[in-house]
Amino acid sequence: MFWSAALAADSTPRPTTLDDAQKSATNAAGWVEENWSTWLGIGLRIALILIIAFVLRSVVRRAITKLIERMNRTAQAVDGTALGGLLVNVERRRQRSAAIGSVLRSVASFLIMGTAGLMILSALEINLAPLLASAGVAGVAIGFGARNLVTDFLSGVFMILEDQYGVGDTIDAGVASGEVIEVGLRVTKLRGDNGEIWYVRNGEVKRIGNLSQGWATAALDVQVRAEEDLDQVRAVITQVGVDMAKEEPWNERLWEPIEVLGLDAVYLDSMIVRVSARTMPGKALGVERELRWRIKKALNEAGIQLVGRPLDPELQTEAVDPSATVAAPSALANPDSPQSEAASPIAPGAGPAAAPSATVPPPTAK
């Protein structure tokens, strides 16, 4: 094709002898005979590298998939048992396992195919030293320039692997709190109590309080009069817990029977009974409200009266008598009273006659 194109481009006819053509064919055949074994060996080596890489990649991905399926079967086996109640639900574990499997398969594919690519370049006798040096310098530069990005990524990977939280959990991340709506390798999205969305970088999270894992505790205080029968109070509250545990949806939200822990405080006119129950995560507040409602109704039916909590003694002050600042009534307030008349000033000339004053005679002259 090359010779035909060259001849078509050159309009000047060139004389070609049979000896020249025979010589060119002999040179081409000699070059092929000298180099065919080298190219064949390189081609076979590249083919072998690719076959081994694809087989190894398939085996590793299949092993990771089997491991994830085994984790899911283990979660389904303990679901519904006492141990399963303390663990994360099956769907949550399935999503987490799928995320972990996806990350592991991607990492395995990258490592295997990257190594195969370098081996192919080495088989083609390409000098890898400048390439590796350039990659190392670029990696160091990216590491210094994007160290926060690397920190966020690694933190996100460990958060997923350790199952610190997931979508739907209510967490306190320190910098923000709310319900998790998306978990990424770099950023976690939270929806706050007022509906706002917080974008929290995984590298900035130093502590996490997960309010949706394991179980929650619903605790409340019942304050009754000091004269009430404690055994009757315990029996009424226990019966309320038994009835509540038989109704929906409380039979799913209550994970243990409601327990009367005993007296938490005793005052002169009242006493406080502490009640506790272990509930589904995130449902403790609703259980407390319903339990207060039912206990109040049951105590009213049993004739047991609730009282208010006494004030803190440090905050109590003596009652002030409203009449303390009012002056006592005085008889002088009435101008017609004898006391007022006696205290009135004496008018001029209204008093008794003045006694005649003694006169001293003037001295006589001698």
Side-chain angles (χ1 to χ4, degrees):
M1 182 181 296
F2 175 79
W3 288 106
S4 62
L7 291 175
D10 190 0
S11 58
T12 304
R14 295 181 179 178
T16 304
T17 62
L18 183 60
D19 296 337
D20 294 337
Q22 185 179 2
K23 186 176 181 180
S24 298
T26 303
N27 293 334
W31 182 86
V32 171
E33 184 179 0
E34 293 177 359
N35 297 281
W36 75 271
S37 59
T38 303
W39 285 103
L40 182 60
I42 293 175
L44 291 176
R45 187 182 302 175
I46 293 175
L48 183 61
I49 291 173
L50 291 177
I51 291 174
I52 294 177
F54 280 109
V55 171
L56 182 61
R57 176 175 175 269
S58 177
V59 171
V60 172
R61 290 173 65 91
R62 188 182 298 273
I64 294 174
T65 302
K66 293 293 184 182
L67 178 62
I68 298 303
E69 292 178 355
R70 183 176 180 181
M71 293 173 58
N72 292 334
R73 287 196 300 268
T74 304
Q76 294 177 359
V78 300
D79 185 40
T81 62
L83 178 60
L86 300 178
L87 300 176
V88 189
N89 56 63
V90 177
E91 182 63 22
R92 164 75 178 280
R93 291 179 65 92
R94 188 193 64 79
Q95 295 178 0
R96 172 174 171 264
S97 301
I100 295 175
S102 177
V103 172
L104 292 179
R105 283 190 290 267
S106 299
V107 172
S109 299
F110 176 78
L111 292 177
I112 294 173
M113 300 309 296
T115 304
L118 294 177
M119 293 177 66
I120 290 174
L121 293 177
S122 177
L124 294 175
E125 297 182 357
I126 297 177
N127 190 8
L128 299 180
L131 180 62
L132 296 178
S134 301
V137 173
V140 172
I142 293 175
F144 278 106
R147 57 183 181 276
N148 292 332
L149 181 63
V150 176
T151 302
D152 297 340
F153 179 81
L154 294 178
S155 299
V157 170
F158 282 107
M159 286 178 182
I160 294 176
L161 292 177
E162 297 173 359
D163 192 23
Q164 298 180 5
Y165 55 82
V167 176
D169 290 350
T170 301
I171 67 171
D172 180 5
V175 294
S177 61
E179 181 181 356
V180 180
I181 60 177
E182 183 178 344
V183 179
L185 294 178
R186 192 182 69 87
V187 175
T188 298
K189 293 182 182 180
L190 304 177
R191 184 173 297 277
D193 297 335
N194 298 325
E196 69 276 10
I197 296 180
W198 298 96
Y199 293 85
V200 181
R201 289 170 42 198
N202 296 331
E204 293 181 349
V205 179
K206 304 302 181 183
R207 63 170 181 83
I208 296 176
N210 196 326
L211 306 180
S212 300
Q213 283 186 352
W215 44 267
T217 301
L220 64 151
D221 296 332
V222 180
Q223 187 168 358
V224 297
R225 295 181 303 178
E227 296 81 10
E228 301 293 344
D229 186 3
L230 288 176
D231 295 333
Q232 184 182 6
V233 173
R234 180 191 295 271
V236 171
I237 297 177
T238 303
Q239 186 61 37
V240 168
V242 173
D243 297 339
M244 184 175 174
K246 296 179 181 179
E247 301 179 6
E248 294 183 355
W250 312 111
N251 54 354
E252 297 180 356
R253 299 180 181 179
L254 286 172
W255 285 5
E256 288 186 1
I258 295 176
E259 182 180 3
V260 181
L261 300 180
L263 283 177
D264 190 66
V266 178
Y267 301 99
L268 293 177
D269 58 348
S270 64
M271 52 187 176
I272 298 177
V273 180
R274 174 61 61 90
V275 182
S276 176
R278 183 168 295 184
T279 69
M280 182 185 298
K283 304 298 182 181
L285 186 58
V287 172
E288 290 179 1
R289 292 171 178 171
E290 181 67 18
L291 195 57
R292 288 191 186 96
W293 182 285
R294 293 172 178 261
I295 290 177
K296 178 63 170 62
K297 293 177 61 178
L299 292 179
N300 289 343
E301 294 175 358
I304 301 175
Q305 184 178 358
L306 295 174
V307 296
R309 181 183 295 274
L311 297 176
D312 191 348
E314 296 181 357
L315 301 179
Q316 292 182 354
T317 57
E318 297 182 358
V320 180
D321 188 4
S323 62
T325 57
V326 180
S330 175
L332 299 178
N334 186 5
D336 297 333
S337 63
Q339 291 81 357
S340 297
E341 293 180 354
S344 300
I346 300 177
S357 58
T359 59
V360 178
T364 55
K366 295 182 178 181

